[in-house]
Amino acid sequence: MKIFRTTLVFAFFMLCTTSVFAQSNIFTERPVLTDEEEVSATVTKEIDEVFQSADFLKRKNKKFADVKGTMVIDIGVVQNGKVSSFFKVDSDIKNIDFINFMSDYILQHKFQFKLQKQQRYKVRYSITF
């Protein structure tokens, strides 16, 4: 009887942990993008979503509610989907604190894709606030 109970408890835990792992994104493999146009389109889409997110808008409006204008930036992406660089190409926004805020915010982002080994892309992105 004790062995049966132990086996039953063990089976229950295995079922629970399997369903938790299946629902989480821990084991979901991110796609590997190889085409430059596909990388550019995906980066643009994800960054659009970042700048429209509640978290970003809340932080921006808290300190920089009066900032308006357009920025053109280059975003570097490396193999694991991390942002490797943020470079302001052009901007009619002159607030250095806001530009630094943007840089820090973007550099913390990790994209939902990977690149091939030793691959790196630079994507030009334009945003109007």
Side-chain angles (χ1 to χ4, degrees):
M1 186 68 165
K2 187 175 180 181
I3 293 173
F4 176 73
R5 192 176 315 159
T6 304
T7 305
L8 186 61
V9 169
F10 178 75
F12 175 77
F13 282 124
M14 289 301 293
L15 286 172
C16 289
T17 57
T18 302
S19 68
V20 168
F21 285 134
Q23 292 174 3
S24 70
N25 289 331
I26 294 173
F27 295 108
T28 304
E29 188 66 28
R30 293 179 295 152
V32 176
L33 302 184
T34 57
D35 180 58
E36 187 172 356
E37 290 181 14
E38 185 180 20
V39 171
S40 181
T42 305
V43 166
T44 300
K45 178 181 170 273
E46 282 192 41
I47 294 297
D48 282 343
E49 291 171 0
V50 166
F51 288 147
Q52 294 171 3
S53 71
D55 179 60
F56 175 80
L57 293 174
K58 180 180 173 183
R59 290 184 187 191
K60 179 200 172 287
N61 291 332
K62 184 175 182 180
K63 288 187 172 182
F64 307 105
D66 60 333
V67 172
K68 304 258 188 277
T70 301
M71 289 180 71
V72 178
I73 57 176
D74 283 344
I75 300 170
V77 184
V78 293
Q79 176 186 344
N80 58 3
K82 288 185 178 180
V83 176
S84 62
S85 64
F86 174 97
F87 179 75
K88 178 188 71 136
V89 176
D90 189 29
S91 178
D92 56 8
I93 299 171
K94 301 302 179 201
N95 186 327
I96 299 299
D97 291 333
F98 178 71
I99 294 169
N100 288 336
F101 161 75
M102 289 284 295
S103 175
D104 292 342
Y105 200 88
I106 295 302
L107 287 169
Q108 293 174 11
H109 185 71
K110 186 169 184 178
F111 290 101
Q112 299 301 311
F113 62 85
K114 293 180 183 180
L115 301 174
Q116 289 180 323
K117 287 189 178 207
Q118 304 300 316
Q119 198 68 45
R120 176 186 169 108
Y121 286 102
K122 180 178 79 171
V123 177
R124 183 146 297 171
Y125 182 84
S126 181
I127 181 76
T128 301
F129 296 101

